[in-house]
Amino acid sequence: MSTSTHAVVPPRLRRSFPARFVRNREALLGLVVLVVVIGVSVLAPWLAPEDPNAGDAGNVLAPVGAPGHLLGTDDQGRDVLSRVIHGGRGALVVAISSVTVAVVVGTALGLFAAFAGRRTSGVLMRVVDLMFAFPVILVALSLAAILQPGAWVLIGTVVFAAVPYVTRIVFAEARIEREKDYVEAARSLGASEAAIVRTEVLPNLISSVVIYGTSLVGVNIVFTASLSALGLGIQPPDADWGRMISEGAKVLVTGHPGVATFPAVAILLVALAFNWLGDGLRDVLNP
Amino acid sequence: GSDTGAVAGSQPRDGGTLIIGQYQEVTQFDPNRQYSWETWRIDRNIYETLVDEDLSAPTGVPKIVPRLATSWTVSPDATTYTFQLRQGVKFSDGTPFDAEAVRFNVRRFTDPSFEYYDKVSAATMSLVYGDLASFEVVDDHTVRYTFKHPFLDFLRQIPNSGNAASGIFSPEALKKYGQDGLADHPVGTGPFVFTERVRGDHTTLERNPDYWGQRPHLDKVIFKPIGDDQSRVAALQTGTVDIISRVPPDSVSTLESGGFSVPENKGVPQIIYYSFNFDNQYLRDQRVRQAIIQAVDRKQLAANIYKGYAEAATSIVNQGNEAYDASAVDYPFDPQAAKKLLADAGYQPGQVKFTILSDTTGQPTAEYLQQSLTAVGIDASVQSFEWITYGTRTANLQPQDGLYLGEWGYVAPSWVKIAHNNSVVKHGGDAYSATSAATVQAIDAAAYNPDPARSAELWQAAAQSWAKDATIFPLLSFNRYYAVAPRVGGFVWPQQNHYDLSRVWVAD
Amino acid sequence: MVRRILWRLAGLVPLLFVISLLVFFIAQAGPADPVKDVLSQKMSAEQIQQIREAYGLDRPAWEQYLTWLKEIFTNGGGLSLSVRSPVSGIVFPAFLNTLILGAAATVVSVVLGVAIGFVSGIRHGRTADRVVMLFVQIGSNLPVYWFGLVVIWLTAVRWKWLPPGGMHDLRGDGGFGDLLLHLIAPAFAASLVSMLIIARFVRAAVIESEQSDYVRTYRSQGFGRAAILGKHIGRNILSPIVNTTGLTVGSVITGVVFVETIFSWPGIGSVLLNAIGGSDYPVIQSGILLVATTFVVVNLVTDVLLDLLNPRLRHGGA
Amino acid sequence: MTAVLTVRDLGVDFALPGAVVHAVRGADLDVGRGEVLALVGESGSGKSVTAAAVLGLLPRTARIARGSIRFEGTELVGLKDRQLNTFRGAGIGMIFQNPVTSLDPSFTIGSQLADTARLHLRVSRAEARDVAHTWLDRVGIRDADRVLRAYPHELSGGMRQRVMIALAGLSGPRLLIADEPTTALDAAVQKQILDLVLDLAGETKTAVLLITHDFGVVSHTSCRVAVMREGVIVETGSTAQVLNAPQHPYTRTLIDAVPEIGRRYPRADRASSGGKPVLELRAVSKEFVAGGFGTGRHRSVVRAVDDVSLSVHRGEIFGLIGESGSGKSTLARLAGGLIPRTAGTVAFDGADIGDSGARDLRRRFQYVFQDAATALNPRITAGEQIARPLRRLGKAASRKEATAQVHRALELVGLHPGHADRYPREFSGGQRQRVGIARAIALEPELLILDEPTSALDVSTQAAILDLLLDLKAELDLTYLFIGHNLAIIASLCDRIGVMRGGSLVETFPAGDLFAPERHPDTRALLDAVLPIASTRDREAS
Ligand SMILES: Nc1ncnc2c1ncn2[C@@H]1O[C@H](COP(=O)(O)OP(=O)(O)OP(=O)(O)O)[C@@H](O)[C@H]1O
Ligand SMILES: Nc1ncnc2c1ncn2[C@@H]1O[C@H](COP(=O)(O)OP(=O)(O)OP(=O)(O)O)[C@@H](O)[C@H]1O
Ligand SMILES: [Mg+2]
Ligand SMILES: [Mg+2]
């Protein structure tokens, strides 16, 4: 029926993802910060003024602004600035990759459980309860026994610890979505359950997933640092923000706050960037 | 060592509560089963030993003094010890302390036929009593220990060490509470009695009103574990606790400028050392081990990384040991020589590879070590653990592990034997030593020597002989350990790993 | 619904059984040897073997498991390997302390998180939103290690407002007020992460329901903003709040280990950590079982609440 | 006439990413005391937006670009929310177009009505409940007690709409804005509701702005009519004048398109009845369970569909009518196997739908849901929602092809390809409904189940859609199951008609026999309530 003539033609909208993204200042800011941080981390060997692991026992705990050491030195006489520049490499890789995996797996499990039959879903969610119940420390120790302590242990632990959370959040929301009419409509349009879950329901959950996922990144940089401190993760003397904080904590209140504070600020910045990116993405994905 | 006269001009007074912040949770108050310094520091207020050390002087190896025994005789061959027990002493549960009580104690860990024999205690106490040939009750107040070999160190061992110290418990208490129950209901003859333990939070002792000896000043002592170093310091600074152990070196100057006393003690029998893992292919070579020792400047480590709050240790015979000799050096710092040794051993720079295991407290040392080793072409990586996981990890060494940290130390010179057994023999290290037999001989000669005059000399010789093999790597000893609030008076840090609280007082 | 809840309750039994099995065998499969770890320094192999026998560690694993299971029911989990005192006496008090801290942290994170999320949701896009969110974001992403120490240093050492750690003042008689005072800093530190997550969820939910048609209906009826926010938006964001709160309880309980360390809180975290270090299986096993049970119960309660909150899910049918 | 509401030169813009939509571009309206002004016009012309603007309840993205809105002399444009609140409810009541989402899903109907009553009437809790009960009775809900305890999702579309009416009427507003208040109602209830509106206008001198597509409603209820198109009011006048002598050409096309009852739809040729049954329902029942432990309500069972047997033959248009809440939608959903049956069997083309093979059947029959608003996924653009099933069911081989087909489908239902980029909530009610239709017909199914597909459409668009349906049927030999309240359409379009009441199918008969004397009393009741356009009432504004 092309009978109706359109005197008022609806305007074309700029709805492509990049267009929306760029319009969103928050997301853009987050992205820029991240790109800068990642860029600095990647280029660390060229950017860092000193070898981050080269100590100078004759010049330990130099104050901020000491000649040759803009941010001072730590208790081994290593250049804090260089260590901060290098320290994000492991942290970022571990946090980002593990959170990504956890979010993807958790979302998949949550959606599956929400749409599976009651029995399957019951069993699956109980398995998730079970994962919940396991202290991460034990998980980390077991992993460290199987693998060697290092990045893989951290990634595995974070994934194990975060998956149940994501799963439960997604499950709870998906169960509500499941009852909505559009799901029935999609079913009537021949969508398989898998397609419904993936292409219809997921877009409606993405905001929760994004919020949760981006909240997790910062949290997990810190968390992995604590695991490293237990000797299960990144090993000294390699620079790592989290470790730098726990090591710098020794001198935090004894006149050398910088050693721990600069990496703390770096973590904070990354976490904030992810938060911004997450809030922004939520707006972009949820117009 | 030094003492605190922090409460300037104030006089000792009776009464009050002293709170001590400890760096780890105590294990259990069974004197035959406990195994940690912090536990012993509590235990020794509840349980007393036959002889004790005089802990009132801050310097010098503490003298052996009477405690539950009033006097004793040692046979000339140093195998038989006869103690005259103090009369009229009662355990805090009211039962009498006498020769039978001592026998009960000894049989618990030596006599498998005894009804109250305890395998765990036996295993723990074997360090001291492994060579016991017989124990006799001579009369109600006289007991006699006979050893298979001369055992000059026995008197020293009785009150010493965080392990296997011979505190006497009440036999009735053991009967009443059972083999496992004693730990939670400790009963001894000491100046303080146990009142409560809230696991993870604190242990409270109260003054023993019926104590046979001089009245302690304090009414109450509370021990509180605070694992985190910084939190422990903060607890002291805020007055939540009065004394803390294991002061982090970084906090020493802050505390001192805040009016706290951080006594210095250059004679405390404590040593930080690294053991070699002989399962590592490179470390079986004496030249590599020696190169490692020569690569590290222990003086600089102590002076710069530890800001002078530690002394370099160059022999396993630690400071504060009766046989200590400050001039004994295993191998001096010489990176060039180290490089050459490695080359002689046939290794290219970077070819020798291993892991250094450390607990987090020792991490600065490990990292310093790693740097120094890199400088001579050894590729070492560091793995550092929270102390709790560290224990598990080092009990299960992997072939790629190279060095692992140890912290121990003794007043008695037989420490050399303990250290050798524990770090070398047990791990099969003597198989990779050119002079193993000679070392064992030298150690045995010192251990079974009945002549006190020659003792130090023999032990030094044994240590030197052992050091040639470079089978252990002594590093340093700390000289700051406790910090004390100004309200505490009379606290003395003797040349020992523990202290005497009976003469300590607190201001209001 | 009743059937559903009963069904879930019945499901607890096999679940806890599986957990106990897993806990047991994972703990046992670890590389560590409890006897060797703790006592080995001075002992010969023979003595170690003796102790293993004394402790029953030489028996087959399944036998040990059955013994343990029996002990769980009879005396709360047997004796600790390292200190030979009843596991229940070690685990329960510590767990209770953790629960106290966990409950306080949960309350703090939920109250502050909801309040912050609400405020920033209704002021969406304005300065107040930005400021408040930045505040929680910064707070929650400061490493506990760093944050805890700074808090202790400022509030306890510098200003002397709060105690530097512990659960009560050892010099005082330890009343409830004293406990509260000691709770403030650790509860706040432990709540930060969850607070952020709750705040972000609430904020998103508020924004979404503010734009919904039913809110428009109520606005058209002249209901005040406060009434709409309080009743309708409040009610419709309850589900996400309950869900994240359920998760918070969990994450707070497992996550407080580090907070416990820094604030010297005598909780289950440090007990477990110590036990793991000493390979003290009975303690590890019973401790984890206890934590696991809590989780499972919290999750169950959360699920039931969620069902009750959503009229569509209530009658299980359709 | 004293104008209660005066709208002058109103302009409303929507800011969409990268573009501005001028939804209203200079509208003028006056509604006087006790007057019923009917606002009619093309779907998407800006009626709902105008209404929302009066109350200051535009979506976030919209803003009033220009013009003035005066209520009883007070300028409303530019007022703060708080100030507007003094007018809302008691001053101006509004019935929103979309009753499904306009009720809070988390509260019972009773609680929602009582809250409003307490706010405006300042009555006690118990009194409020009585008021709510009375109002449910007034809007023709028979089991008011159950409905008071029910949650919105447990009601049929028509019931929800009536709840909305009760909600708005409850507070006794001086101006009532009713946005298509009776679209989901059967003729009998519709008449009852409209009489209620007339009572309000007559007794309490309530001014009513009635937005509607149904000229029967217009002629029955209104004093004056305003016609809107593309954001402007093209014509205003007394009802008689506009209906009988329309001035604007658009008004004329509109009135020409009005279907009349009893007249066979001009292009609908009798289908060859007696073909093979495509859809066969045998003794189908459906029970819903509500309440029970933990819900605070007693457990109750609603038998929404009760032992219905029915067959639809290939090539026919089967009309399903019945009062609101009689189970039509539920029956339709059972027919497609979208919800589990309590009893009975459903077969499509001989194959049982309960079987696992049901998915293969999907491409062969399609749905247009009653509630366009909820049947569309809120997070996916309209175009994508149409394109997906196309690709999924193999109607389009490539993305490009799918896009082309989407554009064609949109144009078929009178939308523009440019609408493909929009999210569901950026459409008007009628536009959304058309997206739903486009989505279904783009698949060219064999059987199409249409649940009140044209309820939100203006008559000319509706006519165009019905034409389209007939064209498609002729072209592709389709079969329709058509659910509707508009008997004129049903009578003229369908081959056979089924009548439902209380979950049972009371009778089926050929469309031609609709007026036969042997019709069931229920059917008669529906027929009697049909509002004829001819009987233009002389209710000139005073
Ligand atoms: N949220 C929105 N965002 C963008 N455009 C919108 C939005 N809501 C409505 N529109 C557009 O504004 C115009 C007017 O919409 P309105 O809802 O007033 O139409 P209507 O006259 O009520 O139509 P109908 O009879 O179909 O309900 C339509 O073209 C519609 O596409
Ligand atoms: N999920 C549900 N839970 C409980 N009752 C329900 C549910 N869905 C529908 N009902 C009830 O079933 C009956 C039939 O509803 P249905 O939607 O089929 O009516 P309808 O004939 O389509 O009415 P309308 O013409 O108003 O759309 C109604 O009484 C309704 O309240
Ligand atoms: Mg409309
Ligand atoms: Mg219906």
Side-chain angles (χ1 to χ4, degrees), chain A residues 132-177:
Chain A
F132 249 110
F134 264 87
V136 280
I137 304 287
L138 196 72
V139 174
L141 285 170
S142 309
L143 278 176
I146 302 165
L147 314 164
Q148 273 296 303
W152 286 112
V153 172
L154 298 183
I155 292 176
T157 309
V158 172
V159 169
F160 191 94
V163 160
Y165 287 89
V166 181
T167 309
R168 276 189 65 89
I169 285 191
V170 170
F171 176 69
E173 297 215 359
R175 238 163 33 119
I176 293 172
E177 295 298 317

Side-chain angles (χ1 to χ4, degrees), chain B residues 6 30 160 309:
Chain B
D30 181 329
N160 211 314
Y309 302 133

Side-chain angles (χ1 to χ4, degrees), chain B residues 199-374:
Chain B
R199 219 168 268 281
D201 195 48
H202 68 270
T203 301
T204 309
L205 308 185
E206 268 166 29
R207 187 169 64 82
N208 180 357
D210 306 320
Y211 185 52
W212 60 266
Q214 201 182 358
R215 178 198 196 280
H217 291 303
L218 297 166
D219 279 345
K220 205 194 244 185
V221 188
I222 301 175
F223 296 86
K224 180 174 176 55
I226 305 178
D228 185 71
D229 286 352
Q230 309 313 313
S231 309
R232 200 162 56 250
V233 171
L236 178 67
Q237 286 176 304
T238 53
T240 307
V241 300
D242 301 312
I243 296 178
I244 58 170
S245 53
R246 228 200 226 220
V247 177
D250 294 298
S251 301
V252 171
S253 62
T254 315
L255 284 174
E256 280 183 334
S257 62
F260 295 88
S261 148
V262 189
E264 183 177 56
N265 187 340
K266 295 198 169 175
V268 63
Q270 180 259 11
I271 181 168
I272 305 275
Y273 56 92
Y274 271 101
S275 302
F276 294 99
N277 174 20
F278 297 102
D279 287 336
N280 182 285
Q281 51 163 328
Y282 306 109
L283 298 179
R284 291 174 177 175
D285 189 331
Q286 190 272 351
R287 288 168 296 189
V288 176
R289 298 195 300 267
Q290 185 184 334
I292 289 171
I293 296 175
Q294 293 204 290
V296 180
D297 185 353
R298 291 172 275 197
K299 287 218 167 52
Q300 193 190 40
L301 175 67
N304 289 354
I305 306 293
Y306 288 100
K307 303 181 188 59
Y309 302 133
E311 301 293 317
T314 47
S315 159
I316 193 63
V317 183
N318 52 271
Q319 63 177 22
N321 190 292
E322 286 176 331
Y324 178 61
D325 175 4
S327 62
V329 176
D330 45 6
Y331 291 101
F333 173 57
D334 188 346
Q336 291 315 316
K339 280 186 197 163
K340 188 166 172 309
L341 278 168
L342 287 172
D344 291 348
Y347 294 117
Q348 301 297 316
Q351 201 179 345
V352 177
K353 251 192 188 150
F354 53 77
T355 316
I356 304 174
L357 303 181
S358 165
D359 70 351
T360 33
T361 327
Q363 193 185 316
T365 320
E367 291 185 36
Y368 180 82
L369 219 69
Q370 189 236 13
Q371 299 246 347
S372 309
L373 294 180
T374 310

Side-chain angles (χ1 to χ4, degrees), chain A residues 74-142:
Chain A
D74 68 2
D75 63 344
Q76 298 271 327
R78 297 173 295 212
D79 184 42
V80 172
L81 175 62
S82 307
R83 286 179 75 73
V84 170
I85 290 176
H86 273 87
R89 302 182 119 199
L92 288 173
V93 169
V94 168
I96 294 176
S97 60
S98 55
V99 168
T100 310
V101 172
V103 164
V104 170
V105 172
T107 309
L109 282 180
L111 284 172
F112 179 76
F115 279 79
R118 191 185 291 185
R119 206 156 296 225
T120 319
S121 132
V123 168
L124 195 72
M125 290 316 287
R126 296 301 77 73
V127 170
V128 167
D129 280 355
L130 215 140
M131 289 173 72
F132 249 110
F134 264 87
V136 280
I137 304 287
L138 196 72
V139 174
L141 285 170
S142 309

Side-chain angles (χ1 to χ4, degrees), chain D residues 48 97 179-180 429:
Chain D
S48 302
Q97 186 174 5
D179 196 350
E180 306 188 18

Side-chain angles (χ1 to χ4, degrees), chain A residues 1-15 20 23 177 180-193 195-196 199-201 203-205 207 284-287, chain D residues 16-21 25 229-230 333 338-339 359 362 365-367 369 374-380 388-389 392-393 411-416 419 421-423 425-426 439 443 464-465:
Chain A
M1 179 204 93
S2 316
T3 52
S4 115
T5 48
H6 290 275
V8 188
V9 171
R12 278 216 64 83
L13 306 180
R14 266 180 269 125
R15 274 251 149 93
R20 276 184 284 160
R23 259 197 311 276
E177 295 298 317
K180 293 200 173 157
D181 293 348
Y182 72 82
V183 172
E184 191 172 287
R187 212 168 272 147
S188 81
L189 287 161
S192 62
E193 289 300 288
I196 289 178
T199 59
E200 304 286 330
V201 175
N204 285 278
L205 299 180
S207 83
V284 170
L285 295 171
N286 250 12
Chain D
L16 295 183
V20 174
V21 173
R25 22 179 103 205
R229 186 172 192 238
E230 289 178 351
R333 288 157 79 208
L338 292 179
I339 50 174
R359 220 169 83 68
R362 285 287 176 227
F365 63 87
Q366 274 309 316
Y367 268 91
F369 289 87
T374 53
L376 293 174
N377 192 331
R379 298 274 186 253
I380 299 176
R388 268 186 195 168
R392 184 155 54 223
L393 298 179
E411 278 178 344
L412 280 177
V413 297
L415 292 171
H416 190 275
H419 283 120
D421 282 343
R422 292 206 198 170
Y423 288 93
R425 80 187 131 67
E426 291 163 347
R439 181 166 72 171
L443 289 167
I465 296 280

